[in-house]
Amino acid sequence: MHIVLDDTAMAAAGQGNVLASRLIHRAHAQAGWYLYAPACALVEADRARPGTAEHLAALPGITVLDLDLPAALAVARHDTWAAAHCQYAAQPTPDRPDGAVIATAAPDRWTGEPVRVLDLTP
């Protein structure tokens, strides 16, 4: 299972959201579970809740996704960098032919977007 954390999911994890915590634990403890933190979303999460970026980047089950050239070009076409980087990260790749699911605490943000969403609201 490949899951991209958006900025709201990252902030929710820092605030003790049980569902986000379970995802983080599962990615650390179970084979086949992967969590990704796109750099642009990590910045927005840290702006909303200072300390979030350092905390999440230190967790062994989370892979921080850099803003490489293809990601930067995709992000440049959108208004919000955090959501655009998450959407780009969730697209299918050779390593993830089915793409990834976006975990979010604000599922309405993704309405109408071509992504699968995992709602973390309690």
Side-chain angles (χ1 to χ4, degrees):
M1 175 64 78
H2 296 274
I3 300 171
V4 174
L5 299 171
D6 77 357
D7 55 307
T8 66
M10 294 179 204
Q15 295 172 343
N17 179 293
V18 174
L19 298 173
S21 295
R22 286 181 186 166
L23 284 177
I24 292 167
H25 172 74
R26 193 165 271 173
H28 176 68
Q30 281 188 300
W33 281 78
Y34 304 94
L35 283 184
Y36 304 98
C40 293
L42 198 56
V43 168
E44 286 302 315
D46 200 70
R47 286 181 180 164
R49 190 173 196 305
T52 300
E54 287 181 88
H55 175 71
L56 287 175
L59 295 173
I62 297 179
T63 301
V64 176
L65 300 176
D66 294 331
L67 187 63
D68 59 7
L69 180 58
L73 295 174
V75 166
R77 290 189 284 267
H78 295 283
D79 294 332
T80 61
W81 286 30
H85 199 186
C86 290
Q87 185 173 342
Y88 173 79
Q91 299 307 307
T93 66
D95 294 341
R96 298 184 312 267
D98 294 328
V101 176
I102 296 179
T104 183
D108 292 342
R109 163 193 285 184
W110 297 102
T111 300
E113 297 295 335
V115 295
R116 295 175 291 154
V117 172
L118 176 60
D119 185 352
L120 298 181
T121 56

Coordinates of all heavy atoms in Angstrom, one line a residue, residues 18-105:
V18 N -5.6 9.6 15.5 CA -5.4 8.2 15.7 C -5.2 7.5 14.4 O -4.3 6.6 14.2 CB -6.6 7.5 16.5 CG1 -6.5 6.0 16.5 CG2 -6.7 8.1 17.9
L19 N -6.0 7.9 13.4 CA -5.8 7.2 12.0 C -4.5 7.5 11.4 O -3.9 6.6 10.8 CB -7.0 7.7 11.1 CG -8.4 7.3 11.6 CD1 -9.4 7.9 10.7 CD2 -8.6 5.8 11.7
A20 N -4.0 8.7 11.5 CA -2.7 9.1 11.0 C -1.6 8.3 11.7 O -0.7 7.8 11.1 CB -2.5 10.6 11.1
S21 N -1.7 8.2 13.0 CA -0.8 7.5 13.8 C -0.7 6.0 13.5 O 0.4 5.4 13.4 CB -1.1 7.6 15.3 OG -1.0 9.0 15.7
R22 N -1.9 5.4 13.2 CA -1.9 4.0 12.8 C -1.2 3.8 11.4 O -0.5 2.8 11.2 CB -3.4 3.5 12.7 CG -4.0 3.3 14.0 CD -5.4 2.8 13.9 NE -6.0 2.7 15.2 CZ -7.3 2.6 15.3 NH1 -8.1 2.5 14.3 NH2 -7.8 2.5 16.5
L23 N -1.4 4.8 10.5 CA -0.7 4.7 9.2 C 0.8 4.7 9.4 O 1.5 3.9 8.8 CB -1.1 5.8 8.3 CG -2.5 5.7 7.6 CD1 -2.7 7.0 6.8 CD2 -2.6 4.5 6.8
I24 N 1.3 5.6 10.2 CA 2.7 5.8 10.5 C 3.2 4.5 11.1 O 4.3 4.0 10.7 CB 3.0 7.0 11.4 CG1 2.7 8.3 10.5 CG2 4.4 7.0 11.9 CD1 2.6 9.5 11.4
H25 N 2.5 4.0 12.1 CA 3.0 2.7 12.8 C 3.0 1.6 11.8 O 4.0 0.8 11.7 CB 2.0 2.4 13.9 CG 2.3 1.0 14.5 ND1 3.4 0.8 15.3 CD2 1.7 -0.2 14.4 CE1 3.5 -0.5 15.6 NE2 2.4 -1.1 15.1
R26 N 2.0 1.5 11.0 CA 1.9 0.4 10.0 C 3.0 0.4 9.0 O 3.6 -0.6 8.6 CB 0.6 0.4 9.3 CG 0.3 -0.9 8.5 CD -1.1 -1.0 8.1 NE -1.8 -1.7 9.2 CZ -3.1 -1.9 9.3 NH1 -3.9 -1.4 8.3 NH2 -3.6 -2.5 10.3
A27 N 3.4 1.7 8.5 CA 4.4 1.8 7.5 C 5.8 1.4 8.1 O 6.7 1.0 7.4 CB 4.5 3.3 7.0
H28 N 5.9 1.6 9.4 CA 7.2 1.3 10.1 C 7.2 -0.2 10.4 O 8.3 -0.8 10.3 CB 7.3 2.1 11.4 CG 8.5 1.7 12.2 ND1 9.8 1.9 11.8 CD2 8.6 1.1 13.4 CE1 10.6 1.5 12.7 NE2 9.9 0.9 13.7
A29 N 6.1 -0.8 10.8 CA 6.1 -2.2 11.3 C 5.7 -3.3 10.3 O 6.1 -4.4 10.5 CB 5.1 -2.3 12.5
Q30 N 5.1 -2.9 9.2 CA 4.6 -3.9 8.2 C 5.2 -3.8 6.9 O 5.3 -2.7 6.3 CB 3.1 -3.9 8.1 CG 2.3 -4.5 9.2 CD 0.8 -4.6 8.9 OE1 0.2 -3.6 8.7 NE2 0.3 -5.8 8.9
A31 N 5.7 -4.9 6.3 CA 6.2 -4.9 5.0 C 5.1 -4.6 4.0 O 3.9 -5.0 4.2 CB 6.8 -6.2 4.6
G32 N 5.4 -3.8 2.9 CA 4.4 -3.5 1.9 C 3.6 -2.3 2.1 O 2.8 -1.9 1.3
W33 N 3.9 -1.6 3.2 CA 3.2 -0.3 3.5 C 4.2 0.8 3.4 O 5.3 0.8 4.1 CB 2.6 -0.3 4.9 CG 1.3 -1.1 5.0 CD1 1.2 -2.4 5.0 CD2 0.0 -0.5 5.0 NE1 -0.2 -2.7 5.1 CE2 -0.9 -1.6 5.1 CE3 -0.5 0.8 5.0 CZ2 -2.3 -1.4 5.1 CZ3 -1.8 1.0 5.0 CH2 -2.7 -0.1 5.1
Y34 N 3.9 1.8 2.6 CA 4.8 2.9 2.3 C 4.1 4.2 2.5 O 3.0 4.4 1.9 CB 5.4 2.8 0.9 CG 6.1 1.5 0.6 CD1 5.4 0.4 0.1 CD2 7.4 1.3 1.0 CE1 6.0 -0.8 -0.2 CE2 8.0 0.0 0.8 CZ 7.3 -1.0 0.2 OH 7.9 -2.2 0.0
L35 N 4.7 5.1 3.3 CA 4.2 6.5 3.4 C 5.2 7.5 2.8 O 6.4 7.4 3.0 CB 4.0 6.8 4.9 CG 2.9 6.2 5.7 CD1 2.8 6.8 7.1 CD2 1.5 6.5 5.0
Y36 N 4.6 8.5 2.1 CA 5.4 9.5 1.5 C 5.0 10.9 1.9 O 3.8 11.1 2.1 CB 5.2 9.4 -0.1 CG 5.6 8.0 -0.6 CD1 4.6 7.1 -0.9 CD2 6.9 7.6 -0.8 CE1 4.9 5.8 -1.4 CE2 7.2 6.4 -1.3 CZ 6.2 5.5 -1.6 OH 6.5 4.2 -2.1
A37 N 6.0 11.7 2.1 CA 5.7 13.1 2.5 C 6.4 14.0 1.5 O 7.6 14.2 1.5 CB 6.3 13.4 3.9
P38 N 5.6 14.5 0.5 CA 6.1 15.4 -0.5 C 6.6 16.7 0.2 O 6.0 17.2 1.1 CB 4.9 15.7 -1.4 CG 3.9 14.6 -1.1 CD 4.1 14.2 0.3
A39 N 7.8 17.1 -0.2 CA 8.5 18.3 0.4 C 7.6 19.5 0.5 O 7.6 20.2 1.5 CB 9.8 18.6 -0.3
C40 N 6.9 19.8 -0.6 CA 6.0 21.0 -0.5 C 4.9 20.9 0.5 O 4.6 21.9 1.2 CB 5.4 21.3 -1.9 SG 6.7 21.7 -3.2
A41 N 4.4 19.7 0.6 CA 3.3 19.5 1.7 C 3.9 19.6 3.1 O 3.3 20.1 4.0 CB 2.6 18.2 1.4
L42 N 5.1 19.1 3.2 CA 5.8 19.1 4.5 C 6.1 20.6 4.9 O 5.9 20.9 6.1 CB 7.2 18.4 4.3 CG 7.8 17.9 5.6 CD1 6.9 17.0 6.5 CD2 9.1 17.2 5.3
V43 N 6.4 21.4 4.0 CA 6.6 22.9 4.3 C 5.3 23.5 4.8 O 5.2 24.2 5.8 CB 7.1 23.6 3.1 CG1 7.0 25.1 3.3 CG2 8.5 23.2 2.8
E44 N 4.2 23.2 4.1 CA 2.9 23.8 4.5 C 2.4 23.2 5.8 O 1.9 23.9 6.7 CB 1.8 23.5 3.4 CG 2.0 24.3 2.2 CD 1.9 25.8 2.5 OE1 1.1 26.3 3.3 OE2 2.8 26.5 2.0
A45 N 2.7 21.9 6.1 CA 2.3 21.4 7.4 C 3.1 22.0 8.5 O 2.6 22.3 9.6 CB 2.6 19.9 7.4
D46 N 4.4 22.3 8.2 CA 5.2 22.9 9.3 C 4.8 24.4 9.5 O 4.9 24.9 10.6 CB 6.7 22.9 8.9 CG 7.6 23.1 10.1 OD1 7.7 22.1 10.9 OD2 8.3 24.1 10.1
R47 N 4.3 25.1 8.5 CA 3.8 26.4 8.6 C 2.6 26.4 9.5 O 2.4 27.3 10.3 CB 3.5 27.0 7.3 CG 4.7 27.5 6.5 CD 4.3 28.1 5.2 NE 5.5 28.5 4.4 CZ 5.4 28.8 3.2 NH1 4.3 28.7 2.5 NH2 6.6 29.1 2.5
A48 N 1.7 25.4 9.3 CA 0.5 25.3 10.1 C 0.8 24.8 11.5 O 0.1 25.3 12.5 CB -0.5 24.3 9.4
R49 N 1.8 24.0 11.7 CA 2.1 23.4 13.0 C 3.6 23.3 13.1 O 4.2 22.3 12.7 CB 1.4 22.1 13.2 CG 1.5 21.6 14.6 CD 0.7 20.3 14.7 NE 0.3 19.9 16.0 CZ 1.2 19.7 17.0 NH1 2.5 19.8 16.9 NH2 0.8 19.2 18.2
P50 N 4.3 24.4 13.6 CA 5.8 24.3 13.6 C 6.3 23.1 14.3 O 5.8 22.7 15.4 CB 6.1 25.6 14.4 CG 4.9 26.5 14.1 CD 3.7 25.6 14.1
G51 N 7.3 22.5 13.8 CA 8.0 21.3 14.3 C 7.5 20.0 13.6 O 8.1 19.0 13.8
T52 N 6.5 20.1 12.8 CA 5.9 19.0 12.1 C 6.9 18.4 11.1 O 7.1 17.2 11.1 CB 4.6 19.3 11.4 OG1 3.7 19.8 12.3 CG2 4.1 18.2 10.6
A53 N 7.6 19.2 10.4 CA 8.5 18.8 9.4 C 9.7 18.0 10.0 O 10.0 16.8 9.5 CB 9.1 19.9 8.6
E54 N 10.3 18.5 11.0 CA 11.4 17.8 11.7 C 10.9 16.4 12.3 O 11.6 15.4 12.1 CB 12.0 18.6 12.8 CG 12.9 19.8 12.2 CD 13.5 20.5 13.3 OE1 14.6 20.2 13.8 OE2 12.8 21.5 13.8
H55 N 9.8 16.5 12.9 CA 9.2 15.3 13.5 C 9.0 14.2 12.5 O 9.4 13.0 12.6 CB 7.9 15.6 14.3 CG 7.3 14.4 14.9 ND1 7.8 13.7 15.9 CD2 6.1 13.7 14.5 CE1 7.0 12.7 16.2 NE2 6.0 12.7 15.3
L56 N 8.2 14.5 11.4 CA 7.9 13.5 10.4 C 9.1 13.0 9.6 O 9.2 11.8 9.3 CB 6.8 14.1 9.4 CG 5.4 14.2 10.0 CD1 4.5 14.8 9.0 CD2 4.9 12.9 10.4
A57 N 10.0 13.9 9.3 CA 11.2 13.5 8.6 C 12.1 12.6 9.4 O 12.9 11.8 8.8 CB 12.0 14.8 8.2
A58 N 12.0 12.6 10.7 CA 12.8 11.7 11.6 C 12.2 10.3 11.7 O 12.9 9.4 12.2 CB 13.0 12.4 12.9
L59 N 10.9 10.2 11.3 CA 10.3 8.9 11.5 C 10.8 7.9 10.5 O 10.8 8.2 9.3 CB 8.8 9.0 11.4 CG 8.1 9.8 12.5 CD1 6.7 10.1 12.3 CD2 8.3 9.2 13.9
P60 N 11.1 6.6 10.9 CA 11.7 5.7 9.9 C 10.7 5.2 8.9 O 11.1 4.7 7.8 CB 12.1 4.5 10.8 CG 11.3 4.7 12.1 CD 11.0 6.1 12.2
G61 N 9.4 5.3 9.1 CA 8.5 4.7 8.1 C 8.0 5.7 7.0 O 7.2 5.4 6.2
I62 N 8.6 6.9 7.1 CA 8.1 7.9 6.1 C 9.3 8.3 5.2 O 10.4 8.6 5.6 CB 7.6 9.2 6.9 CG1 6.4 8.8 7.7 CG2 7.3 10.3 5.9 CD1 5.8 10.0 8.5
T63 N 9.0 8.4 3.9 CA 10.0 8.8 2.9 C 9.6 10.2 2.4 O 8.5 10.4 1.9 CB 9.9 7.8 1.7 OG1 10.2 6.5 2.1 CG2 10.9 8.3 0.6
V64 N 10.5 11.1 2.6 CA 10.3 12.5 2.1 C 10.7 12.5 0.6 O 11.7 12.1 0.2 CB 11.2 13.5 2.9 CG1 11.1 14.9 2.3 CG2 10.8 13.5 4.4
L65 N 9.7 13.0 -0.1 CA 9.9 13.1 -1.6 C 10.4 14.5 -2.0 O 9.7 15.5 -1.7 CB 8.6 12.8 -2.3 CG 8.0 11.5 -2.1 CD1 6.6 11.4 -2.8 CD2 8.9 10.4 -2.5
D66 N 11.6 14.6 -2.6 CA 12.2 15.8 -3.0 C 11.4 16.5 -4.1 O 10.7 15.8 -4.9 CB 13.6 15.6 -3.4 CG 14.5 15.2 -2.3 OD1 14.2 15.6 -1.1 OD2 15.5 14.5 -2.6
L67 N 11.6 17.7 -4.3 CA 11.0 18.4 -5.4 C 12.0 18.4 -6.6 O 12.8 19.3 -6.7 CB 10.7 19.9 -5.0 CG 9.9 20.7 -6.1 CD1 8.5 20.1 -6.3 CD2 9.8 22.1 -5.6
D68 N 12.0 17.3 -7.3 CA 12.9 17.1 -8.4 C 12.3 17.9 -9.6 O 11.2 18.5 -9.6 CB 13.1 15.7 -8.8 CG 11.9 14.9 -9.1 OD1 10.8 15.5 -9.2 OD2 12.0 13.7 -9.2
L69 N 13.0 17.9 -10.8 CA 12.6 18.7 -11.9 C 11.2 18.3 -12.4 O 10.4 19.2 -12.6 CB 13.6 18.6 -13.1 CG 13.3 19.4 -14.3 CD1 13.0 20.8 -14.0 CD2 14.3 19.2 -15.4
P70 N 10.9 17.0 -12.6 CA 9.5 16.6 -13.1 C 8.5 17.1 -12.1 O 7.4 17.6 -12.5 CB 9.5 15.1 -13.2 CG 11.0 14.8 -13.4 CD 11.8 15.8 -12.6
A71 N 8.7 17.0 -10.8 CA 7.8 17.4 -9.8 C 7.6 19.0 -9.9 O 6.5 19.5 -9.8 CB 8.2 17.0 -8.4
A72 N 8.7 19.7 -10.0 CA 8.7 21.1 -10.0 C 7.9 21.6 -11.3 O 7.1 22.6 -11.1 CB 10.1 21.7 -10.1
L73 N 8.0 20.9 -12.4 CA 7.3 21.3 -13.6 C 5.8 21.1 -13.4 O 5.0 21.9 -13.8 CB 7.8 20.6 -14.8 CG 9.2 20.9 -15.2 CD1 9.7 20.0 -16.3 CD2 9.4 22.4 -15.6
A74 N 5.5 20.0 -12.7 CA 4.0 19.7 -12.4 C 3.5 20.7 -11.4 O 2.3 21.2 -11.6 CB 3.9 18.3 -11.9
V75 N 4.2 21.0 -10.4 CA 3.8 22.0 -9.4 C 3.6 23.4 -10.0 O 2.7 24.1 -9.6 CB 4.8 22.0 -8.2 CG1 4.6 23.2 -7.3 CG2 4.7 20.7 -7.4
A76 N 4.5 23.7 -10.9 CA 4.4 25.1 -11.5 C 3.1 25.4 -12.2 O 2.7 26.5 -12.3 CB 5.6 25.3 -12.4
R77 N 2.4 24.3 -12.6 CA 1.1 24.5 -13.3 C -0.1 24.7 -12.4 O -1.2 24.9 -12.9 CB 0.9 23.3 -14.2 CG 1.9 23.3 -15.4 CD 1.5 22.2 -16.4 NE 1.8 20.9 -15.9 CZ 2.9 20.2 -16.2 NH1 3.8 20.8 -17.0 NH2 3.1 19.0 -15.8
H78 N 0.1 24.6 -11.1 CA -1.0 24.7 -10.1 C -0.9 25.9 -9.2 O 0.2 26.5 -9.1 CB -1.0 23.4 -9.3 CG -1.3 22.2 -10.1 ND1 -2.6 21.9 -10.5 CD2 -0.5 21.2 -10.5 CE1 -2.5 20.7 -11.2 NE2 -1.3 20.3 -11.2
D79 N -1.9 26.2 -8.5 CA -2.0 27.4 -7.6 C -1.3 27.1 -6.3 O -0.6 27.9 -5.7 CB -3.4 27.9 -7.4 CG -4.0 28.4 -8.6 OD1 -3.3 28.9 -9.5 OD2 -5.3 28.3 -8.8
T80 N -1.5 25.9 -5.8 CA -1.0 25.5 -4.5 C 0.1 24.5 -4.6 O -0.2 23.4 -5.2 CB -2.1 25.0 -3.5 OG1 -2.7 23.8 -4.1 CG2 -3.2 26.1 -3.3
W81 N 1.2 24.7 -4.1 CA 2.3 23.8 -4.2 C 2.1 22.5 -3.5 O 2.5 21.4 -3.9 CB 3.6 24.5 -3.8 CG 4.2 25.5 -4.7 CD1 3.4 26.3 -5.6 CD2 5.5 25.8 -4.9 NE1 4.3 27.1 -6.3 CE2 5.6 26.8 -5.9 CE3 6.7 25.4 -4.3 CZ2 6.8 27.4 -6.3 CZ3 7.9 26.0 -4.8 CH2 7.9 26.9 -5.7
A82 N 1.6 22.6 -2.3 CA 1.4 21.4 -1.4 C 0.5 20.4 -2.1 O 0.9 19.2 -2.2 CB 0.9 21.8 0.0
A83 N -0.7 20.8 -2.5 CA -1.6 19.9 -3.1 C -1.1 19.4 -4.5 O -1.2 18.2 -4.8 CB -3.0 20.6 -3.3
A84 N -0.4 20.3 -5.2 CA 0.1 19.9 -6.5 C 1.2 18.8 -6.4 O 1.2 17.8 -7.1 CB 0.6 21.1 -7.3
H85 N 2.1 19.0 -5.4 CA 3.1 18.0 -5.2 C 2.6 16.7 -4.7 O 3.0 15.6 -5.1 CB 4.2 18.5 -4.2 CG 5.5 17.8 -4.2 ND1 6.5 18.1 -3.3 CD2 6.0 16.9 -5.1 CE1 7.5 17.3 -3.6 NE2 7.2 16.6 -4.7
C86 N 1.5 16.7 -3.9 CA 0.9 15.5 -3.4 C 0.2 14.8 -4.6 O 0.3 13.5 -4.7 CB -0.2 15.8 -2.4 SG 0.5 16.3 -0.8
Q87 N -0.5 15.5 -5.4 CA -1.2 14.9 -6.6 C -0.1 14.3 -7.5 O -0.3 13.2 -8.0 CB -2.0 16.0 -7.3 CG -2.8 15.4 -8.4 CD -3.8 16.4 -9.0 OE1 -4.1 17.4 -8.4 NE2 -4.2 16.2 -10.2
Y88 N 1.0 15.0 -7.8 CA 2.0 14.5 -8.6 C 2.6 13.2 -8.0 O 2.8 12.2 -8.7 CB 3.1 15.5 -8.8 CG 4.3 15.0 -9.5 CD1 4.3 14.9 -10.9 CD2 5.5 14.6 -8.8 CE1 5.4 14.3 -11.5 CE2 6.6 14.0 -9.4 CZ 6.5 13.9 -10.8 OH 7.6 13.4 -11.5
A89 N 2.8 13.2 -6.7 CA 3.4 12.0 -6.0 C 2.5 10.8 -6.1 O 2.9 9.7 -6.0 CB 3.8 12.4 -4.6
A90 N 1.2 11.1 -6.2 CA 0.2 10.0 -6.2 C 0.0 9.3 -7.5 O -0.6 8.3 -7.7 CB -1.1 10.5 -5.6
Q91 N 0.6 9.9 -8.6 CA 0.4 9.4 -9.9 C 1.2 8.1 -10.1 O 2.1 7.8 -9.4 CB 0.9 10.4 -11.0 CG 0.1 11.7 -10.9 CD -1.4 11.5 -11.0 OE1 -1.9 10.9 -11.9 NE2 -2.1 12.1 -10.1
P92 N 0.7 7.2 -11.0 CA 1.4 5.9 -11.2 C 2.8 6.1 -11.7 O 3.1 7.1 -12.4 CB 0.6 5.3 -12.3 CG -0.8 5.9 -12.2 CD -0.5 7.3 -11.8
T93 N 3.7 5.2 -11.2 CA 5.1 5.2 -11.6 C 5.5 3.8 -11.9 O 4.7 2.9 -11.6 CB 6.0 5.8 -10.5 OG1 5.9 4.9 -9.4 CG2 5.6 7.2 -10.1
P94 N 6.6 3.5 -12.5 CA 7.0 2.1 -12.6 C 7.1 1.3 -11.3 O 6.8 0.1 -11.3 CB 8.4 2.2 -13.3 CG 8.4 3.5 -14.0 CD 7.6 4.4 -13.1
D95 N 7.5 2.0 -10.2 CA 7.5 1.4 -8.9 C 6.1 1.2 -8.3 O 5.9 0.3 -7.5 CB 8.3 2.2 -7.9 CG 9.8 2.2 -8.3 OD1 10.2 1.4 -9.1 OD2 10.5 3.1 -7.8
R96 N 5.2 2.1 -8.7 CA 3.8 2.1 -8.2 C 2.8 2.1 -9.3 O 2.3 3.2 -9.6 CB 3.6 3.3 -7.3 CG 4.4 3.3 -6.0 CD 4.1 4.5 -5.1 NE 3.9 5.8 -5.8 CZ 4.9 6.7 -5.9 NH1 6.1 6.4 -5.4 NH2 4.7 7.8 -6.5
P97 N 2.7 1.1 -10.1 CA 1.8 1.1 -11.3 C 0.4 1.5 -11.0 O -0.3 2.1 -11.9 CB 1.9 -0.3 -11.8 CG 2.6 -1.1 -10.9 CD 3.2 -0.3 -9.8
D98 N -0.1 1.3 -9.8 CA -1.5 1.7 -9.5 C -1.5 3.1 -8.8 O -2.6 3.6 -8.4 CB -2.1 0.7 -8.5 CG -2.4 -0.6 -9.2 OD1 -2.6 -0.6 -10.4 OD2 -2.3 -1.7 -8.5
G99 N -0.4 3.7 -8.7 CA -0.3 5.0 -8.1 C -0.4 4.9 -6.5 O -0.1 3.8 -6.0
A100 N -0.7 6.0 -5.9 CA -0.8 6.0 -4.4 C -2.1 6.7 -4.0 O -2.7 7.4 -4.8 CB 0.4 6.7 -3.8
V101 N -2.5 6.4 -2.8 CA -3.7 7.0 -2.2 C -3.2 8.3 -1.4 O -2.1 8.2 -0.8 CB -4.4 6.0 -1.3 CG1 -5.5 6.7 -0.5 CG2 -4.8 4.8 -2.0
I102 N -4.0 9.3 -1.5 CA -3.6 10.5 -0.7 C -4.4 10.5 0.6 O -5.6 10.4 0.6 CB -4.0 11.8 -1.4 CG1 -3.1 11.9 -2.7 CG2 -3.8 13.0 -0.5 CD1 -3.3 13.1 -3.5
A103 N -3.7 10.5 1.7 CA -4.3 10.5 3.1 C -4.5 12.0 3.4 O -3.5 12.8 3.3 CB -3.4 9.8 4.1
T104 N -5.7 12.3 3.9 CA -6.0 13.8 4.1 C -6.9 13.9 5.3 O -7.8 13.0 5.5 CB -6.5 14.4 2.9 OG1 -6.8 15.8 3.1 CG2 -7.8 13.8 2.4
A105 N -6.8 15.0 6.0 CA -7.8 15.4 7.0 C -8.8 16.4 6.4 O -9.7 16.9 7.2 CB -7.1 15.9 8.2

